[in-house]
Amino acid sequence: MRRILIVGGGYAGFYTAWRLEKTLRRGEAEVTLVDPRSYMTYQPFLPEVTAGSVEARHVAVSLRRHLKRTTVVAGSVVEIRHADKTAIVRPLEGPDHPVEYDIVVVTAGAVTRTFPIPGIAEEAIGMKQVEEAVAVRDQLLTAFERASTLPPGAERRRLLTTTVVGGGFTGVEVFGELLALATALLKRYPQLGFDELDFHLVEAMGRILPEVTDEPGRWVVRHLEQRGAHVHLNTQLTSASGGHIVLSTGEEYDTELLVWTAGNAANPIVAKHTDLPVDQRGLLQVHADLRVGVEGEPAIADAWGAGDNASVPDLASPRAGARTVPNAQHAVRQGKRLAKNLAASLRGEEPKPYVHHSLGVVATLGLGRGIFQYKSLVITGFLGWVMHRGYHMLAVPTWERKVRVALVWLSAVFFGRDIVSLATTQTPRQAFTSGGVPPEVTPLGRR
């Protein structure tokens, strides 16, 4: 049997393996998938996890449960030597070791792009993994609990201040959902006022949501500002040391919660630790049929790539040389096409090019608020939010996850969202070791 190694279990990797299991005959190939996490995260639901509209575990699709004929290895590929058809795997436990393969599929995804800004490494939380979304939610809820015990003043204001850096889809959706959650929480905290909430969205460009046209983008800015938020365009974060925010415009304030969503960067494994060709951005170069290779040159045998770590020609775009944007819509469909092409290649058939015309874009701006755009058609408000939920209900993989998410949404109609903070799960031994004494209080009762 041919040995297929899939590097990464995100959208593209999961869907490649899932579709290969449905396409390949038994005994036709042996598939191994390597990823440090045992699940695929459905990232479009992360903003709703931060707001408590979706249960955290429901956005994580178990690799072992749904990939029944694939060997799942808990670890990371740290080097790909395609000339030797060998990958170096670093397992969660034990030393690095080589894994030989006949065919490699590189779907390692992208990483969060960061900059050397003082305080970012110490204060900011990203938004690529479900653990980050849970931490953001718990930090906001805990901040409300702490603020409710303080008198009005600077410290209470700081606890009720949230900053999101990055005006792409993830940043705007997280910002809108957190703003909606914070506004709803005020009903449970009568001692806190709406005028004490301080929400800031910081974007270096002159507009937000680059995937939509100009007017819908301006509408989103107006909508957020009408809800009491501050949207800083053409503005950069210059410092966040100690939670003290300094913007390039000169504005300064203190924030309790800082969320960083300022774009993607090339995965360093692909950019620096492989002999496969990459472009100037560090992305894997692939042909339209998802075989690895430099444009205009023959494809490299037995190497495939897709997803956010690959520069895939966008044949649906009228612009020459266009590449597909790094989003879930493309990654899912590229994974499916890659699996079909790989199976065809094993059987001596010609692979087909990847072509996908956009189905439009949807974004949530908080419970009951959203935006949808398909070409010149723009729908905003409640109907846009319904279309957002409908699209992602269809897109989230497996019927099991669809049903679980739908049940949570249905229960929220009758009981509202859950507002319990479980921040102590990040320090699970604290109650056991402290004997019930709060950590700020000594055994003698002195602070």
Side-chain angles (χ1 to χ4, degrees), residues 308-330:
D308 291 357
N309 69 181
S311 177
V312 181
D314 189 355
L315 301 186
S317 173
R319 182 167 55 87
R323 294 293 187 267
T324 58
V325 297
N327 62 22
Q329 193 173 136
H330 281 299

Side-chain angles (χ1 to χ4, degrees), residues 117 120 163 165 202 235-240 245-248 258 260:
I117 299 172
I120 286 296
T163 302
V165 181
V202 181
T235 304
Q236 296 178 346
L237 177 66
T238 60
S239 178
I245 300 297
V246 180
L247 304 178
S248 59
L258 176 60
W260 181 272

Side-chain angles (χ1 to χ4, degrees), residues 14 38-42 45 54-63 65-66 392-393 395-409:
F14 171 78
S38 62
Y39 54 85
M40 185 274 281
T41 302
Y42 189 71
F45 275 156
V54 173
E55 169 60 36
R57 292 183 183 274
H58 296 169
V59 307
V61 180
S62 171
L63 298 178
R65 178 171 184 170
H66 297 287
H392 287 299
M393 174 55 64
V396 66
T398 79
W399 279 103
E400 174 230 352
R401 282 301 184 253
K402 296 179 194 294
V403 171
R404 289 182 186 274
V405 171
L407 289 175
V408 172
W409 283 345

Side-chain angles (χ1 to χ4, degrees), residues 341-359:
N341 284 353
L342 179 49
S345 178
L346 288 172
R347 297 163 185 167
E349 303 169 7
E350 283 297 314
K352 297 180 180 179
Y354 169 76
V355 183
H356 172 64
H357 296 272
S358 174
L359 302 176

Side-chain angles (χ1 to χ4, degrees), residues 42-87:
Y42 189 71
Q43 292 180 350
F45 275 156
L46 292 184
E48 293 201 59
V49 172
T50 66
S53 298
V54 173
E55 169 60 36
R57 292 183 183 274
H58 296 169
V59 307
V61 180
S62 171
L63 298 178
R64 298 183 186 277
R65 178 171 184 170
H66 297 287
L67 300 179
K68 298 179 175 61
R69 293 165 52 195
T70 299
T71 300
V72 178
V73 176
S76 302
V77 171
V78 295
E79 186 179 359
I80 300 172
R81 305 171 185 167
H82 191 63
D84 303 324
K85 291 195 173 180
T86 300

Side-chain angles (χ1 to χ4, degrees), residues 133-194:
V134 171
V136 168
R137 166 182 163 79
D138 286 342
Q139 189 166 330
L140 180 70
L141 294 175
T142 301
F144 266 74
E145 293 289 351
R146 294 168 59 193
S148 67
T149 65
L150 296 173
E155 179 61 15
R156 191 158 97 172
R157 181 81 174 193
R158 182 189 66 81
L159 288 168
L160 299 177
T161 299
T162 295
T163 302
V164 176
V165 181
F169 262 91
T170 300
V172 170
E173 288 190 317
V174 168
F175 188 78
E177 288 287 354
L178 288 177
L179 179 59
L181 173 60
T183 304
L185 283 174
L186 292 175
K187 294 187 298 183
R188 310 298 181 184
Y189 297 89
Q191 60 272 66
L192 303 179
F194 177 79

